[in-house]
Amino acid sequence: MSKLLELLDVIRTDPDVASATLVIWSIILGIIIALLVSFYNRRVLGSFFRALIKAGAQDAESAKTLAEINQTENDAIIKKLRRGQYTDVVTIVNESEETKDNVVINENTKFYLEESKFARVRDQWGESDENIWVLIGGIVGIVILGVLVTVLVSTTIFSA
């Protein structure tokens, strides 16, 4: 046990180990943030695109409203569509008004994906919802890796 306490003291007090630890945990934090953003994009934003595919909205005649695909509560995608994002992927029909920067989206606005965009949507947002356990496993795994690398670096510097 004294060896562990000695190692922890070196990690805390040795400037070389402290700066290496700071770099390691900064990288770990960046990876965790990237995992969270990726999960959010695939889970929340991707649900809109998966719903369009599932509903078979592939042309103006089969276009669906947000209510028809159960996306009326998906504020994230509604905001992005209003700002004109994803217009290269999704086609908006029955627009009541369009300003220079914003698209007006209401209960009558319909959306569809051209059939040529289906492959891109599947690649970018997946065919099914993201599993929360994948996110949790990834975070736990990267934290364990961070602990192991920190211990390895500190023992290497400590033994030198």
Side-chain angles (χ1 to χ4, degrees):
M1 187 64 149
S2 64
K3 192 84 163 161
L4 176 65
L5 292 175
E6 203 173 308
L7 179 64
L8 290 174
D9 187 49
V10 167
I11 291 173
R12 187 175 57 86
T13 58
D14 188 335
D16 292 335
V17 175
S19 61
T21 303
L22 179 65
V23 168
I24 291 167
W25 285 100
S26 296
I27 292 170
I28 298 297
L29 180 62
I31 292 171
I32 290 172
I33 290 170
L35 284 171
L36 291 169
V37 168
S38 175
F39 179 80
Y40 171 81
N41 281 333
R42 290 182 65 95
R43 182 83 178 233
V44 176
L45 302 178
S47 67
F48 171 75
F49 297 102
R50 286 189 296 273
L52 284 175
I53 290 175
K54 187 176 179 183
Q58 60 188 7
D59 55 26
E61 290 79 35
S62 62
K64 303 292 181 190
T65 65
L66 291 172
E68 291 172 325
I69 58 172
N70 297 323
Q71 294 292 314
T72 55
E73 302 297 320
N74 193 342
D75 293 331
I77 195 69
I78 293 169
K79 281 183 182 178
K80 289 189 180 284
L81 290 170
R82 279 189 179 139
R83 289 188 204 136
Q85 293 179 332
Y86 300 123
T87 54
D88 59 328
V89 178
V90 67
T91 304
I92 302 171
V93 293
N94 295 338
E95 299 171 9
S96 56
E97 293 179 32
E98 187 175 330
T99 62
K100 184 178 179 184
D101 297 324
N102 293 323
V103 175
V104 175
I105 295 176
N106 57 32
E107 64 276 354
N108 298 322
T109 307
K110 294 186 175 189
F111 307 90
Y112 72 91
L113 296 170
E114 294 175 10
E115 200 167 341
S116 63
K117 306 288 185 184
F118 278 25
R120 177 180 171 191
V121 168
R122 283 193 187 104
D123 290 345
Q124 190 167 353
W125 289 290
E127 292 187 27
S128 61
D129 283 342
E130 266 313 290
N131 189 344
I132 188 76
W133 294 108
V134 173
L135 175 68
I136 292 170
I139 291 173
V140 168
I142 200 70
V143 167
I144 290 171
L145 180 68
V147 168
L148 292 174
V149 170
T150 301
V151 169
L152 178 69
V153 166
S154 61
T155 55
T156 303
I157 294 175
F158 177 63
S159 64

